[in-house]
Amino acid sequence: MSRRIVLSACLLSLILGAPCAAAASPPTPDGETHRIDMRLVGKHPRVEVRIEGVERPLSFVVDTAAGASVVDVALAERFGLLEAASREMTIQGASGSAAATQVTALRALSAGDFAWQAQLLAMDLSQIAEDDAPPIEGILGNDLMARFDLRFDLPAGALVLAPAGSLPRGACLDNALPQRAAGLQRFAFVPAQLRDGAHEVQATAVVDTGAAQTLLNLPAARALGVAEDDARLRRRDAGTRGIAEQVVETWLYTLPRLAIGDWQLAATEVRISALPVFSVLGLADQPAVILGIDALRHRRVDVLANAAGVCVGPAATVDER
């Protein structure tokens, strides 16, 4: 029997309706704090991951809203990573498209000074490639990061995995969905305030470092007073593409203000789309935001163990950028 997995917005993030059967026991914190070099490559934050049996490090996107870690299927086949009798799983895309994937055998993995063992999903990542950037060879998901206090710090070029409870809470916000479904326990939700003129909207945002661009659902756009024939909208010709070439209609819109706690984001171009992933998140009928790397790249973001809370640090200075 196949297990259904859902591919989220902006082409990368994986949302699970149930805990991932592909991952072995998640890595257990060893009491040490581990630093992994991270940098923005194209439009995505990446780290180098070594996999047992692969002769070189692979370029993985760090995706806090990916419920499963992934390796490109062509690489998995080339290096013999797949289970001998690998079962197929069905992946359902944000656009409603679907594709089959397989599972690797249990392998030793390492990134920076941290090592663990895991199974990965193997799927075709070529469709999310960027023309002007090196290929995306894998996705490091929250199935392998959730037991840690996670510090995502692009300005400092570091992904930090720290023992749970060791990072200072500071001005942290508790998870905005404390009663979230079992399959969403590892996902970081925060309250967000959106504003356009006299319209101020309370929304729920999911922290998604794997999304290249922040995205609003239709209820959020309507609450901001943005209609389908609004002159402020610009149709995105490419839409938002799913994993099987299906495209969801998408508009571009300059959001004047987005705030999370004390942090405020200046006017930013975002996407608006009715992606099915909002239904998976339980947010289809209320204002919701997928908070992408365009909003997060100049700040330190801490996601506390098991997504219990989120702390957004100060903006990087010009020199730090």
Side-chain angles (χ1 to χ4, degrees):
M1 181 173 65
S2 66
R3 183 178 295 270
R4 184 165 292 273
I5 297 170
V6 179
L7 189 67
S8 140
C10 302
L11 309 181
L12 281 179
S13 303
L14 293 160
I15 304 294
L16 298 181
C20 180
S25 179
T28 302
D30 55 8
E32 301 293 329
T33 295
H34 301 276
R35 185 189 189 280
I36 302 168
D37 289 340
M38 177 175 63
R39 62 192 182 99
L40 195 68
V41 180
K43 297 179 180 179
H44 298 102
R46 303 208 206 176
V47 296
E48 290 190 345
V49 174
R50 288 192 172 274
I51 301 177
E52 174 189 1
V54 180
E55 60 194 19
R56 61 175 177 82
L58 302 180
S59 182
F60 273 51
V61 171
V62 178
D63 194 342
T64 55
S69 293
V70 177
V71 65
D72 183 71
V73 68
L75 290 171
E77 292 173 345
R78 183 189 312 165
F79 293 107
L81 302 181
L82 296 175
E83 284 186 322
S86 180
R87 65 194 183 283
E88 284 196 346
M89 292 183 174
T90 301
I91 295 181
Q92 182 177 335
S95 63
S97 57
T101 189
Q102 294 175 283
V103 183
T104 70
L106 183 65
R107 294 280 174 163
L109 281 69
S110 65
D113 63 351
F114 188 66
W116 66 96
Q117 289 192 326
Q119 290 176 276
L120 307 173
L121 295 183
M123 60 177 287
D124 181 10
L125 297 180
S126 64
Q127 294 187 40
I128 56 175
E130 298 177 56
D131 292 339
D132 56 350
I136 294 170
E137 296 174 317
I139 299 171
L140 188 66
N142 61 31
D143 57 328
L144 300 181
M145 298 187 288
R147 290 191 181 184
F148 300 86
D149 278 358
L150 174 72
R151 172 158 290 175
F152 181 90
D153 195 345
L154 260 179
L159 177 70
V160 177
L161 303 176
S166 63
L167 290 182
R169 290 188 63 95
C172 289
L173 299 170
D174 291 337
N175 196 301
L177 296 180
Q179 305 303 318
R180 58 197 182 278
L184 299 175
Q185 287 298 307
R186 302 189 301 263
F187 293 79
F189 296 93
V190 291
Q193 295 77 45
L194 315 177
R195 179 178 290 176
D196 189 338
H199 298 277
E200 185 163 346
V201 178
Q202 304 299 313
T204 300
V206 58
V207 177
D208 188 351
T209 59
Q213 188 171 19
T214 295
L215 188 145
L216 310 183
N217 67 356
L218 295 187
R222 291 170 183 146
L224 285 166
V226 180
E228 291 186 7
D229 59 350
D230 201 299
R232 292 170 291 180
L233 293 180
R234 302 171 302 286
R235 185 179 299 276
R236 188 173 191 270
D237 293 337
T240 297
R241 181 166 55 98
I243 55 176
E245 298 295 338
Q246 190 170 342
V247 174
V248 178
E249 195 170 28
T250 301
W251 295 267
L252 297 173
Y253 156 69
T254 299
L255 176 65
R257 180 176 177 272
L258 183 152
I260 295 174
D262 295 333
W263 165 50
Q264 295 188 27
L265 182 68
T268 301
E269 184 179 78
V270 301
R271 299 186 195 185
I272 296 173
S273 189
L275 293 178
V277 70
F278 286 110
S279 294
V280 177
L281 294 171
L283 300 174
D285 300 322
Q286 65 186 76
V289 181
I290 293 172
L291 195 64
I293 196 63
D294 56 337
L296 302 170
R297 60 180 295 182
H298 294 308
R299 293 181 177 268
R300 184 186 71 232
V301 181
D302 293 347
V303 179
L304 304 181
N306 299 311
V310 175
C311 322
V312 180
T317 66
V318 172
D319 289 341
E320 288 173 327
R321 295 180 192 177

